[in-house]
Amino acid sequence: MKVFLLLLSVAALSCGQGPPSEPPAGQRCSGRNYEGRRCCTPEQPCGLGEGDCDGPLDGGVNDGHAGCQGDLVCGSNNCKKFGLYFHEKDDCCDEPSSIPAVRPPPVIVPGAPLEPPTGQRCRGRNYDGRRCCTPEQPCGEGEGDCDGRGDGGLNDGDRGCRGALVCGSNNCAQFGAYYHEKDDCCEKPATVSAANPGPRQQTKGWGQWTQWGPCSASCGAGWKVRTRKCVGSKCGSAGFHAQDRQERICIAPDCNEV
């Protein structure tokens, strides 16, 4: 019955009726506005149009596509097409064709450094994992990842940033090309935000990192990736993730000029 309702919802989208404003009856995972983040897990994977899943496109600690049933994949900020009730940052289980076969090259903001400055404590999920900036150890301007209210669900508000700074949303690229595209950095305030702290667990139980893979580009800017697996009982900021992923920008200088 549950699968039928989900298919009915997707069929409505294809007929031009638009995404629903409320979750279908019987849907288990309806995003962080209802069940919180990462409702879809390897132990309880989701069907088409359900979320939030925690896939490889989020970088850092993630479940891969194991939070989705069968051949489905975990998308990126794609849930709104399945329902208006989802948060804009929710990731939903989707068809494999929804993810491009070739990843686009990184967008480098002019003047943004390719490597973190010496001595910077929090450099995003490609270096220090998600939520390096906490109320206990708040960050300065241009540091991340912080966990602000723009992420929805359980978050720290702006308490992961020092003084009057606020936690932005997907804004770290302006401070450094070494950040992941979904990292949130502390920045000067534009609006006033509220805090909503909650308890977290410490990371433990990770195995060794793999070697860095080859550059994804044969010419110009690309990505190289390394991963590690959980070999202990608890891994990740909440103690339940199975894998971790880091990325670095790489520049292939040997381009053939025509």
Side-chain angles (χ1 to χ4, degrees), residues 234-257:
K234 292 181 179 179
C235 297
S237 58
F240 45 54
H241 286 96
Q243 70 177 35
D244 193 2
R245 174 186 174 99
Q246 289 185 341
E247 301 171 351
R248 297 285 189 276
I249 286 179
C250 49
I251 306 293
D254 297 328
C255 298
N256 295 322
E257 295 184 1

mmCIF file of all heavy atoms in Angstrom, residues 234-257:
data_model
loop_
_atom_site.group_PDB
_atom_site.id
_atom_site.type_symbol
_atom_site.label_atom_id
_atom_site.label_comp_id
_atom_site.label_asym_id
_atom_site.label_seq_id
_atom_site.Cartn_x
_atom_site.Cartn_y
_atom_site.Cartn_z
ATOM 1 N N LYS A 234 30.819 2.816 16.605
ATOM 2 C CA LYS A 234 30.170 4.097 16.368
ATOM 3 C C LYS A 234 31.102 4.996 15.566
ATOM 4 O O LYS A 234 32.260 5.148 15.902
ATOM 5 C CB LYS A 234 29.802 4.785 17.687
ATOM 6 C CG LYS A 234 28.714 4.084 18.478
ATOM 7 C CD LYS A 234 28.384 4.852 19.753
ATOM 8 C CE LYS A 234 27.280 4.160 20.543
ATOM 9 N NZ LYS A 234 26.956 4.891 21.800
ATOM 10 N N CYS A 235 30.560 5.601 14.509
ATOM 11 C CA CYS A 235 31.344 6.516 13.686
ATOM 12 C C CYS A 235 30.472 7.697 13.272
ATOM 13 O O CYS A 235 29.271 7.555 13.086
ATOM 14 C CB CYS A 235 31.865 5.828 12.428
ATOM 15 S SG CYS A 235 33.002 4.451 12.736
ATOM 16 N N GLY A 236 31.105 8.855 13.099
ATOM 17 C CA GLY A 236 30.367 10.026 12.672
ATOM 18 C C GLY A 236 29.872 10.860 13.832
ATOM 19 O O GLY A 236 29.911 10.456 14.992
ATOM 20 N N SER A 237 29.362 12.064 13.522
ATOM 21 C CA SER A 237 28.965 13.008 14.551
ATOM 22 C C SER A 237 27.810 12.513 15.404
ATOM 23 O O SER A 237 27.625 12.954 16.528
ATOM 24 C CB SER A 237 28.580 14.347 13.906
ATOM 25 O OG SER A 237 27.529 14.166 12.981
ATOM 26 N N ALA A 238 27.019 11.587 14.889
ATOM 27 C CA ALA A 238 25.917 11.030 15.665
ATOM 28 C C ALA A 238 26.093 9.537 15.931
ATOM 29 O O ALA A 238 25.215 8.894 16.484
ATOM 30 C CB ALA A 238 24.578 11.273 14.961
ATOM 31 N N GLY A 239 27.221 8.977 15.509
ATOM 32 C CA GLY A 239 27.551 7.606 15.867
ATOM 33 C C GLY A 239 26.972 6.515 15.015
ATOM 34 O O GLY A 239 26.981 5.357 15.419
ATOM 35 N N PHE A 240 26.477 6.842 13.793
ATOM 36 C CA PHE A 240 25.800 5.791 13.035
ATOM 37 C C PHE A 240 26.223 5.671 11.582
ATOM 38 O O PHE A 240 25.622 4.935 10.819
ATOM 39 C CB PHE A 240 24.282 5.997 13.072
ATOM 40 C CG PHE A 240 23.828 7.410 12.828
ATOM 41 C CD1 PHE A 240 24.222 8.123 11.715
ATOM 42 C CD2 PHE A 240 22.997 8.035 13.733
ATOM 43 C CE1 PHE A 240 23.798 9.412 11.498
ATOM 44 C CE2 PHE A 240 22.563 9.334 13.528
ATOM 45 C CZ PHE A 240 22.952 10.025 12.412
ATOM 46 N N HIS A 241 27.233 6.400 11.134
ATOM 47 C CA HIS A 241 27.582 6.375 9.725
ATOM 48 C C HIS A 241 28.557 5.247 9.398
ATOM 49 O O HIS A 241 29.310 4.789 10.257
ATOM 50 C CB HIS A 241 28.188 7.704 9.299
ATOM 51 C CG HIS A 241 27.164 8.793 9.180
ATOM 52 N ND1 HIS A 241 26.908 9.679 10.197
ATOM 53 C CD2 HIS A 241 26.317 9.115 8.176
ATOM 54 C CE1 HIS A 241 25.966 10.515 9.819
ATOM 55 N NE2 HIS A 241 25.588 10.196 8.597
ATOM 56 N N ALA A 242 28.546 4.835 8.128
ATOM 57 C CA ALA A 242 29.356 3.692 7.694
ATOM 58 C C ALA A 242 30.573 4.089 6.876
ATOM 59 O O ALA A 242 31.505 3.316 6.751
ATOM 60 C CB ALA A 242 28.489 2.724 6.874
ATOM 61 N N GLN A 243 30.567 5.281 6.288
ATOM 62 C CA GLN A 243 31.705 5.675 5.474
ATOM 63 C C GLN A 243 31.922 7.180 5.552
ATOM 64 O O GLN A 243 31.040 7.935 5.933
ATOM 65 C CB GLN A 243 31.537 5.241 4.027
ATOM 66 C CG GLN A 243 30.463 5.988 3.238
ATOM 67 C CD GLN A 243 30.406 5.534 1.789
ATOM 68 O OE1 GLN A 243 30.618 4.368 1.467
ATOM 69 N NE2 GLN A 243 30.118 6.452 0.891
ATOM 70 N N ASP A 244 33.133 7.609 5.201
ATOM 71 C CA ASP A 244 33.523 9.014 5.227
ATOM 72 C C ASP A 244 34.199 9.317 3.899
ATOM 73 O O ASP A 244 34.834 8.446 3.304
ATOM 74 C CB ASP A 244 34.480 9.250 6.403
ATOM 75 C CG ASP A 244 34.693 10.723 6.712
ATOM 76 O OD1 ASP A 244 34.074 11.565 6.038
ATOM 77 O OD2 ASP A 244 35.485 11.030 7.621
ATOM 78 N N ARG A 245 34.084 10.539 3.432
ATOM 79 C CA ARG A 245 34.589 10.902 2.102
ATOM 80 C C ARG A 245 35.199 12.301 2.167
ATOM 81 O O ARG A 245 34.614 13.221 2.735
ATOM 82 C CB ARG A 245 33.425 10.881 1.094
ATOM 83 C CG ARG A 245 33.757 11.372 -0.316
ATOM 84 C CD ARG A 245 32.473 11.439 -1.130
ATOM 85 N NE ARG A 245 32.662 12.022 -2.443
ATOM 86 C CZ ARG A 245 32.791 11.331 -3.566
ATOM 87 N NH1 ARG A 245 32.763 10.021 -3.529
ATOM 88 N NH2 ARG A 245 32.940 11.930 -4.723
ATOM 89 N N GLN A 246 36.382 12.453 1.585
ATOM 90 C CA GLN A 246 37.011 13.754 1.477
ATOM 91 C C GLN A 246 37.361 14.028 0.024
ATOM 92 O O GLN A 246 37.643 13.110 -0.745
ATOM 93 C CB GLN A 246 38.286 13.826 2.333
ATOM 94 C CG GLN A 246 38.018 13.847 3.829
ATOM 95 C CD GLN A 246 39.295 14.030 4.627
ATOM 96 O OE1 GLN A 246 40.394 13.803 4.136
ATOM 97 N NE2 GLN A 246 39.158 14.427 5.882
ATOM 98 N N GLU A 247 37.338 15.309 -0.343
ATOM 99 C CA GLU A 247 37.630 15.720 -1.708
ATOM 100 C C GLU A 247 38.673 16.830 -1.707
ATOM 101 O O GLU A 247 38.752 17.612 -0.758
ATOM 102 C CB GLU A 247 36.358 16.228 -2.403
ATOM 103 C CG GLU A 247 35.247 15.194 -2.474
ATOM 104 C CD GLU A 247 33.940 15.795 -2.967
ATOM 105 O OE1 GLU A 247 33.865 17.038 -3.079
ATOM 106 O OE2 GLU A 247 32.995 15.037 -3.237
ATOM 107 N N ARG A 248 39.458 16.892 -2.764
ATOM 108 C CA ARG A 248 40.412 17.969 -2.978
ATOM 109 C C ARG A 248 40.305 18.426 -4.437
ATOM 110 O O ARG A 248 40.101 17.614 -5.348
ATOM 111 C CB ARG A 248 41.848 17.511 -2.712
ATOM 112 C CG ARG A 248 42.107 17.082 -1.281
ATOM 113 C CD ARG A 248 42.198 18.260 -0.336
ATOM 114 N NE ARG A 248 42.646 17.856 0.977
ATOM 115 C CZ ARG A 248 41.857 17.368 1.940
ATOM 116 N NH1 ARG A 248 40.569 17.234 1.713
ATOM 117 N NH2 ARG A 248 42.360 17.036 3.113
ATOM 118 N N ILE A 249 40.472 19.708 -4.642
ATOM 119 C CA ILE A 249 40.546 20.215 -6.011
ATOM 120 C C ILE A 249 41.913 19.872 -6.592
ATOM 121 O O ILE A 249 42.929 19.960 -5.904
ATOM 122 C CB ILE A 249 40.314 21.728 -6.043
ATOM 123 C CG1 ILE A 249 38.821 22.035 -5.808
ATOM 124 C CG2 ILE A 249 40.772 22.350 -7.351
ATOM 125 C CD1 ILE A 249 38.504 23.511 -5.808
ATOM 126 N N CYS A 250 41.927 19.429 -7.839
ATOM 127 C CA CYS A 250 43.181 19.144 -8.530
ATOM 128 C C CYS A 250 43.178 19.881 -9.865
ATOM 129 O O CYS A 250 42.128 20.049 -10.478
ATOM 130 C CB CYS A 250 43.360 17.637 -8.741
ATOM 131 S SG CYS A 250 41.922 16.801 -9.459
ATOM 132 N N ILE A 251 44.314 20.340 -10.276
ATOM 133 C CA ILE A 251 44.450 21.082 -11.537
ATOM 134 C C ILE A 251 45.368 20.291 -12.475
ATOM 135 O O ILE A 251 46.530 20.025 -12.145
ATOM 136 C CB ILE A 251 45.044 22.486 -11.314
ATOM 137 C CG1 ILE A 251 44.235 23.242 -10.269
ATOM 138 C CG2 ILE A 251 45.109 23.250 -12.625
ATOM 139 C CD1 ILE A 251 42.834 23.600 -10.690
ATOM 140 N N ALA A 252 44.803 19.882 -13.608
ATOM 141 C CA ALA A 252 45.605 19.160 -14.617
ATOM 142 C C ALA A 252 46.192 20.195 -15.575
ATOM 143 O O ALA A 252 45.447 20.798 -16.374
ATOM 144 C CB ALA A 252 44.740 18.165 -15.358
ATOM 145 N N PRO A 253 47.492 20.432 -15.511
ATOM 146 C CA PRO A 253 48.085 21.532 -16.292
ATOM 147 C C PRO A 253 48.353 21.194 -17.754
ATOM 148 O O PRO A 253 48.506 22.095 -18.584
ATOM 149 C CB PRO A 253 49.419 21.783 -15.561
ATOM 150 C CG PRO A 253 49.778 20.448 -15.004
ATOM 151 C CD PRO A 253 48.476 19.758 -14.656
ATOM 152 N N ASP A 254 48.424 19.910 -18.077
ATOM 153 C CA ASP A 254 48.835 19.518 -19.433
ATOM 154 C C ASP A 254 47.640 19.477 -20.376
ATOM 155 O O ASP A 254 47.125 18.412 -20.723
ATOM 156 C CB ASP A 254 49.537 18.162 -19.421
ATOM 157 C CG ASP A 254 50.819 18.210 -18.599
ATOM 158 O OD1 ASP A 254 51.453 19.263 -18.569
ATOM 159 O OD2 ASP A 254 51.164 17.175 -17.981
ATOM 160 N N CYS A 255 47.169 20.649 -20.756
ATOM 161 C CA CYS A 255 46.039 20.725 -21.689
ATOM 162 C C CYS A 255 46.568 20.964 -23.104
ATOM 163 O O CYS A 255 47.440 21.810 -23.320
ATOM 164 C CB CYS A 255 45.103 21.867 -21.305
ATOM 165 S SG CYS A 255 44.346 21.668 -19.685
ATOM 166 N N ASN A 256 46.027 20.209 -24.035
ATOM 167 C CA ASN A 256 46.447 20.364 -25.427
ATOM 168 C C ASN A 256 45.741 21.567 -26.034
ATOM 169 O O ASN A 256 44.503 21.615 -26.100
ATOM 170 C CB ASN A 256 46.116 19.111 -26.244
ATOM 171 C CG ASN A 256 46.905 17.910 -25.778
ATOM 172 O OD1 ASN A 256 48.076 18.048 -25.433
ATOM 173 N ND2 ASN A 256 46.274 16.734 -25.776
ATOM 174 N N GLU A 257 46.502 22.538 -26.448
ATOM 175 C CA GLU A 257 45.920 23.727 -27.053
ATOM 176 C C GLU A 257 45.695 23.490 -28.546
ATOM 177 O O GLU A 257 46.565 22.966 -29.241
ATOM 178 C CB GLU A 257 46.848 24.932 -26.859
ATOM 179 C CG GLU A 257 47.009 25.308 -25.391
ATOM 180 C CD GLU A 257 47.843 26.561 -25.229
ATOM 181 O OE1 GLU A 257 48.273 27.120 -26.270
ATOM 182 O OE2 GLU A 257 48.082 26.961 -24.073
#
